[in-house]
Amino acid sequence: MTAPLTPPPPPHENSPHQFWQAPPPAGAPGAGAGAYEQDGPGMKTELREAAVITVAVALGGVLLGLLWWWLAPHVPLVGDEFDDNWVVYVKDTEGEQAVGVDGTFTLLGLGFGLVSAVVLFLLRRRGGVPLVVALGLGGLLGSLLAWRLGVVLGPDSDVLAHARAVGKGVMFPAPLKLSAKGALLAWPLAGLLAHLGLTALFGPRDPEAP
């Protein structure tokens, strides 16, 4: 009596948890999408946009300089002559006009930083490192432009010649100058912080992985 033959094993079947699919042809729309998919418009496009944003934000310094020249308080000076030598001194030694000049520039810089951040966020909601760098760099260049423009538009920087021109004992305004150079950072810092807050609150969210 012979033992029954053992039936051959069934053909190997894939597990229901596995799924095999032939790769799409090379020219198919989805070919290579699983390997890499570019996110955003591309680095070259972002760099071009960043250059344009830097220039546009920096040109806003012209308006900042005009506002600073118009709104900043004037420091009163008085000239006097002693032994054929002219001496210029501050008329109101306890006044706060000099502090007000720096404060006016700082407040205007904070306002310009906030406005530039809001405009950039509305135009380019997706953000990106080049755009943020352009915002900060443009704000710094705009502050420098506003500072130099305000000095040029302000009163004559040669106070002795100005004192001789107006006469002895006549009050005249001091040159417009920025004593606290840290005020130049008000615009870029305010712009970066405001843009960071807007992106965190209202920026696009990445889709969650399934």
Side-chain angles (χ1 to χ4, degrees), residues 2-66:
T2 61
L5 297 177
T6 304
H12 178 70
E13 296 181 0
N14 293 330
S15 172
H17 300 286
Q18 296 178 349
F19 180 77
W20 301 92
Q21 183 179 3
Y36 177 75
E37 182 178 358
Q38 186 177 3
D39 185 14
M43 183 57 66
K44 291 184 178 180
T45 303
E46 289 189 355
L47 291 178
R48 285 195 297 267
E49 292 179 351
V52 174
I53 291 172
T54 301
V55 175
V57 175
L59 290 178
V62 176
L63 179 58
L64 175 59
L66 293 175

Side-chain angles (χ1 to χ4, degrees), residues 153-167:
L153 296 177
D156 190 2
S157 59
D158 191 349
V159 293
L160 292 179
H162 199 172
R164 294 190 186 99
V166 298

Side-chain angles (χ1 to χ4, degrees), residues 5-145:
L5 297 177
T6 304
H12 178 70
E13 296 181 0
N14 293 330
S15 172
H17 300 286
Q18 296 178 349
F19 180 77
W20 301 92
Q21 183 179 3
Y36 177 75
E37 182 178 358
Q38 186 177 3
D39 185 14
M43 183 57 66
K44 291 184 178 180
T45 303
E46 289 189 355
L47 291 178
R48 285 195 297 267
E49 292 179 351
V52 174
I53 291 172
T54 301
V55 175
V57 175
L59 290 178
V62 176
L63 179 58
L64 175 59
L66 293 175
L67 290 175
W68 181 47
W69 166 69
W70 181 41
L71 298 176
H74 297 288
V75 179
L77 300 179
V78 175
D80 202 352
E81 186 178 7
F82 296 97
D83 297 333
D84 296 334
N85 293 322
W86 279 87
V87 178
V88 178
Y89 56 91
V90 180
K91 182 178 181 180
D92 187 7
T93 56
E94 297 181 357
E96 299 180 354
Q97 291 88 349
V99 178
V101 172
D102 296 340
T104 302
F105 191 94
T106 302
L107 292 178
L108 288 174
L110 293 175
F112 271 68
L114 179 60
V115 172
S116 59
V118 172
V119 173
L120 177 60
F121 179 76
L122 295 177
L123 294 178
R124 294 292 184 269
R125 189 178 294 269
R126 68 176 182 274
V129 176
L131 301 182
V132 175
V133 173
L135 177 63
L137 180 59
L140 180 58
L141 295 177
S143 296
L144 293 172
L145 177 60

